[in-house]
Amino acid sequence: MATRKDTPLVSSLGRVQGQKITREGNSSRDSLASHPLLSPPPAITTTTIVDNNSGPAGSTSLPESSTTTSPSSNSTKYVPYTPRHRVSTSQVTAQSSPPTLGNAGGVTPQLQLQNLKAAAQDSQLTSGSVGWAICEKLYQEGESSEWEDIWTAVTTNRATLLLPLDQVMPQENITADYVRDHVVYCTGPSNKTIPVVTVSGLRGFITDNTLTIRSVISTTSPQFQALSTPASRMSTLAGLPPLPSPLIVPLKPEYPVFNIPAPHTELPFPSRPHHKPQPRPVLSTPRLNPFANLFGARASPATTPAPLPASPSGEELESKSHSIDVSVYVIQGRILRKDVIKGISSSIKAELREALTGLPSWMVERSIAFTSSLHPQLPVEPKKPISKQPSSSSKVPSLIEPDMTDHTTASESFQSFYASLEDELFQKEQQNEQLSEKKADNGGYNQAQEDRRYQMVERVERAVCALFYDQKPSDDASHDEALSSRIAALNMLDLGLEHLGIDVGKAGNGVHAVVTAVGQALQRLQDPSCRAPVDKAAAIVAAHNVAVEGLSRLPPIRLKPDEEVLAEEPTPLASQFRHNANVQGEGDKRLPKSPLSPLPEDKPAELLSPTVDPASPSAASGGDAASLQSPTSAAEEPAKPTPVASDILLPFMIYSIVKANPAELVSHLLFTQRYRMR
């Protein structure tokens, strides 16, 4: 039985095997001693054997005591351990390592995001707010196909972001359509009233730290397309039809309103949005087993590593590290298109009901039904056909809808609606009154009832046209611009009343005062309270009355007779004027005394013509009449009113319009003509 002394200490496999080899000296154990791991300590003298196949790396040290020489041969008893050639690990590393973004792609975007977050927190936007969620979405998805128009509008077209302070709801999804309701085109914050149009087509204004959304605009219209260009944005916003003024103050429910608690600011957005990291590339060669060489496995052939993505150039790194200041308003409340459109429709109906208070209920409901197609419509909800509503009357009139295809069809539909209301009023009066007694008194005609019907329909006209003033189709902007430019040319030529054949005599200063008062009356056409056709017609009549009353207080103004006009040096026509201008350019210093004059007409020059009674009722304001009570000291007020001839009044009104040059005069006149009840 073996004792504990006979068993060596198990401290190392090499030592144990070495002791056994030395102690026993058995030939069967010589092959174990030949292994390099079982060699004696390095102090023993060794012999170096070089393998020609392995090269310098394959040299092996053999202990002298363990090397026995056969009498017939000098070769060794074992095959030396030779590690096989392994594929370079640098090749595998190059294939398996994913591309890195570097400083500009990894560190710089993170720093820009932190900078954006810090600026947002300074603007009262917390990390859980809807406004910050919008900023993150733009940062992550800015250049994707769905968000490209939003990113371009904000960074390139200088649009403004509306960032809500409300916290994000658990199920709230920040989509591209959601963000389009919060991106607006507007003017600078220096204006008192800032017009606003969202990228989705909502239209409103900012005043007194309050955003009010009042109407919508078609995103396919040329006016909306012009808003995307910063150079033409201010002029396009100024050229949009004015938004309707409130008819009822205060109104319940009011139009969608959003408070702006913080002043206008700017946030530094990266010049390019952050892209999500790309997936790791698939290796072209299978993964190598590091222990395959120990067991004599055949090494895989060396392969060419896949090329790494090209590193960004210096210009790209500089552009990525650059930030863009984006205009921002912080608001309270989300702008949800569906809720906003419903709020606008509810407010329009409420305002229309309040404006028509006192009229028959059927007349109010008929007006609401007529204008229902003019309300903002949700794009996802198809337009519902208007069904026939049951009525107690035996004959229900057909419902008329406004056709806003062009100004002609719109005018005809409005006039048909007015006529239908007046006819139905007349029918109901016949049903409610004793027609036999009325016919016996006045033969079936009652002027008071007709005036009453006219006034009721006029109230409907005023309310409907004022509430939907911005919905009217019009192509009169070009006419307005043409007339304004021609009037400006006449003012540059210093047009006077003498060019129109009027001799003011001693009333020169008084005439200029009247001209100024007429111009002020015409400027009222642009007033926000003058939106209905009846109001515009009243403003035009007021300007006419100001001219009549002002001229009646001045000394007589005569119209020059034809002989006197022909005796004077005539003003050349347009072709002659251009010829004289060319001659003057060659050195001729002669200038025509009168730049423009009307063509001579064969008509008598009468000083006394049918006059306009200045005491007739008019819509002239008291301020305009008061300003003419004492024109000037140069012209003494006559003892009795001076009769004003129509031959004098027409050129005088023309001269007043030229001097005042009221804005959009053609549009105002055509609007009155098309939508005024006939």
Side-chain angles (χ1 to χ4, degrees):
M1 182 175 180
T3 62
R4 190 171 183 180
K5 295 180 181 180
D6 297 334
T7 305
L9 294 176
V10 184
S11 60
S12 173
L13 180 62
R15 292 180 182 180
V16 172
Q17 297 295 338
Q19 291 177 4
K20 289 183 179 182
I21 294 172
T22 306
R23 184 181 305 173
E24 296 179 0
N26 196 350
S27 61
S28 62
R29 303 295 181 96
D30 291 344
S31 61
L32 297 176
S34 64
H35 197 278
L37 296 179
L38 304 179
S39 60
I44 302 175
T45 306
T46 60
T47 303
T48 302
I49 299 176
V50 180
D51 190 357
N52 295 330
N53 297 328
S54 60
S59 61
T60 308
S61 297
L62 299 177
E64 185 178 351
S65 61
S66 64
T67 306
T68 59
T69 306
S70 175
S72 61
S73 178
N74 294 332
S75 62
T76 58
K77 292 184 177 181
Y78 64 92
V79 178
Y81 171 75
T82 304
R84 295 183 180 275
H85 177 69
R86 300 175 61 185
V87 180
S88 176
T89 58
S90 61
Q91 299 177 358
V92 179
T93 304
Q95 296 176 4
S96 60
S97 60
T100 58
L101 296 177
N103 293 335
V107 179
T108 302
Q110 295 298 328
L111 294 178
Q112 291 177 343
L113 182 62
Q114 293 297 329
N115 187 22
L116 175 62
K117 188 173 184 179
Q121 290 177 351
D122 293 341
S123 301
Q124 305 179 9
L125 289 175
T126 60
S127 58
S129 64
V130 177
W132 175 245
I134 292 176
C135 294
E136 281 188 321
K137 271 291 184 179
L138 280 176
Y139 177 75
Q140 296 173 358
E141 306 287 347
E143 287 187 346
S144 62
S145 58
E146 188 178 6
W147 293 73
E148 184 177 2
D149 60 330
I150 302 176
W151 180 259
T152 303
V154 171
T155 58
T156 305
N157 298 335
R158 308 300 297 170
T160 301
L161 283 175
L162 303 178
L163 302 180
L165 293 174
D166 300 37
Q167 297 298 309
V168 179
M169 303 298 292
Q171 302 298 330
E172 191 169 5
N173 188 17
I174 307 298
T175 62
D177 292 336
Y178 185 98
V179 177
R180 286 187 182 93
D181 295 332
H182 296 80
V183 180
V184 300
Y185 297 119
C186 61
T187 58
S190 59
N191 299 334
K192 183 178 180 181
T193 300
I194 304 174
V196 168
V197 177
T198 67
V199 176
S200 60
L202 300 176
R203 187 181 173 201
F205 56 90
I206 297 176
T207 181
D208 297 332
N209 298 328
T210 301
L211 168 63
T212 304
I213 299 180
R214 181 62 180 80
S215 180
V216 296
I217 184 175
S218 175
T219 55
T220 59
S221 62
Q223 293 174 329
F224 181 84
Q225 299 298 328
L227 291 174
S228 60
T229 306
S232 61
R233 182 172 303 158
M234 184 173 296
S235 59
T236 304
L237 288 172
L240 292 176
L243 289 173
S245 301
L247 301 179
I248 306 298
V249 179
L251 176 66
K252 297 296 180 180
E254 61 182 359
Y255 290 94
V257 175
F258 303 88
N259 293 327
I260 303 178
H264 173 267
T265 185
E266 292 182 349
L267 295 182
F269 272 77
S271 59
R272 292 188 179 183
H274 174 67
H275 293 285
K276 295 181 180 179
Q278 299 179 354
R280 298 177 62 180
V282 179
L283 299 178
S284 59
T285 58
R287 189 173 182 179
L288 299 179
N289 187 358
F291 299 100
N293 292 328
L294 296 178
F295 301 98
R298 185 177 180 180
S300 301
T303 57
T304 304
L308 294 176
S311 58
S313 61
E315 296 180 357
E316 293 179 353
L317 295 178
E318 183 179 358
S319 63
K320 289 185 178 181
S321 61
H322 178 64
S323 61
I324 300 176
D325 293 333
V326 176
S327 176
V328 167
Y329 280 105
V330 178
I331 63 175
Q332 292 180 345
R334 304 169 177 83
I335 302 179
L336 303 178
R337 182 178 178 83
K338 183 177 180 180
D339 296 340
V340 168
I341 289 179
K342 288 183 178 179
I344 294 175
S345 299
S346 300
S347 300
I348 289 176
K349 293 178 181 178
E351 192 168 9
L352 193 58
R353 292 181 187 275
E354 290 291 333
L356 300 180
T357 301
L359 296 181
S361 58
W362 67 266
M363 203 170 183
V364 177
E365 296 301 328
R366 189 69 56 78
S367 301
I368 294 176
F370 173 75
T371 59
S372 60
S373 61
L374 299 178
H375 295 187
Q377 303 293 329
L378 291 172
V380 295
E381 296 181 359
K383 182 179 178 181
K384 298 180 180 180
I386 301 176
S387 58
K388 295 183 179 181
Q389 300 178 356
S391 176
S392 58
S393 59
S394 59
K395 183 179 179 181
V396 180
S398 59
L399 186 61
I400 301 174
E401 293 185 359
D403 185 2
M404 310 303 287
T405 305
D406 52 35
H407 58 80
T408 303
T409 57
S411 175
E412 292 177 354
S413 60
F414 271 74
Q415 295 298 333
S416 300
F417 174 65
Y418 301 151
S420 65
L421 291 180
E422 192 170 6
D423 293 341
E424 191 169 355
L425 278 173
F426 180 73
Q427 294 176 5
K428 290 184 179 297
E429 287 177 357
Q430 287 182 338
Q431 295 175 0
N432 298 333
E433 297 179 0
Q434 298 179 358
L435 301 179
S436 59
E437 296 180 1
K438 295 295 181 181
K439 290 181 180 179
D441 293 341
N442 49 25
Y445 175 77
N446 192 329
Q447 181 65 35
Q449 290 182 354
E450 184 177 357
D451 294 342
R452 178 174 173 271
R453 291 193 301 268
Y454 186 86
Q455 293 174 1
M456 294 173 66
V457 178
E458 190 179 71
R459 287 187 59 185
V460 175
E461 172 207 301
R462 183 192 299 271
V464 170
C465 293
L467 284 177
F468 300 98
Y469 186 77
D470 61 317
Q471 300 291 334
K472 58 182 178 64
S474 176
D475 54 354
D476 305 326
S478 58
H479 301 291
D480 293 329
E481 184 178 357
L483 178 62
S484 180
S485 61
R486 292 179 182 179
I487 290 177
L490 291 177
N491 285 322
M492 291 180 62
L493 295 175
D494 195 15
L495 178 68
L497 285 173
E498 62 275 6
H499 301 136
L500 301 178
I502 297 179
D503 184 10
V504 297
K506 299 180 179 179
N509 294 335
V511 167
H512 290 298
V514 177
V515 169
T516 303
V518 172
Q520 293 175 356
L522 291 175
Q523 295 295 341
R524 186 177 177 272
L525 293 171
Q526 286 288 102
D527 194 88
S529 61
C530 188
R531 293 287 186 262
V534 61
D535 297 331
K536 295 185 182 296
I540 297 173
V541 173
H544 176 273
N545 291 330
V546 168
V548 173
E549 294 177 2
L551 294 178
S552 65
R553 296 189 179 95
L554 298 177
I557 299 176
R558 73 185 185 90
L559 188 67
K560 295 181 181 180
D562 294 341
E563 295 78 7
E564 184 177 351
V565 173
L566 294 175
E568 297 177 355
E569 182 179 357
T571 302
L573 299 178
S575 59
Q576 298 175 352
F577 183 77
R578 287 194 296 267
H579 175 71
N580 292 338
N582 296 332
V583 173
Q584 179 185 355
E586 296 175 359
D588 191 359
K589 302 300 182 180
R590 293 178 299 174
L591 293 176
K593 296 182 179 179
S594 301
L596 293 174
S597 69
L599 292 175
E601 300 179 358
D602 296 334
K603 60 179 180 179
E606 299 179 358
L607 297 178
L608 297 179
S609 299
T611 59
V612 180
D613 187 6
S616 60
S618 63
S621 59
D624 294 336
S627 62
L628 298 175
Q629 291 181 359
S630 57
T632 52
S633 58
E636 299 180 359
E637 184 175 351
K640 60 181 181 179
T642 303
V644 181
S646 59
D647 293 341
I648 293 178
L649 186 60
L650 179 59
F652 182 82
M653 290 298 298
I654 294 175
Y655 179 74
S656 301
I657 292 174
V658 169
K659 291 302 180 182
N661 197 4
E664 302 178 3
L665 180 61
V666 177
S667 296
H668 296 309
L669 295 177
L670 293 178
F671 177 77
T672 305
Q673 179 185 4
R674 293 164 182 167
Y675 299 100
R676 182 74 173 104
M677 185 178 59
R678 298 168 187 171

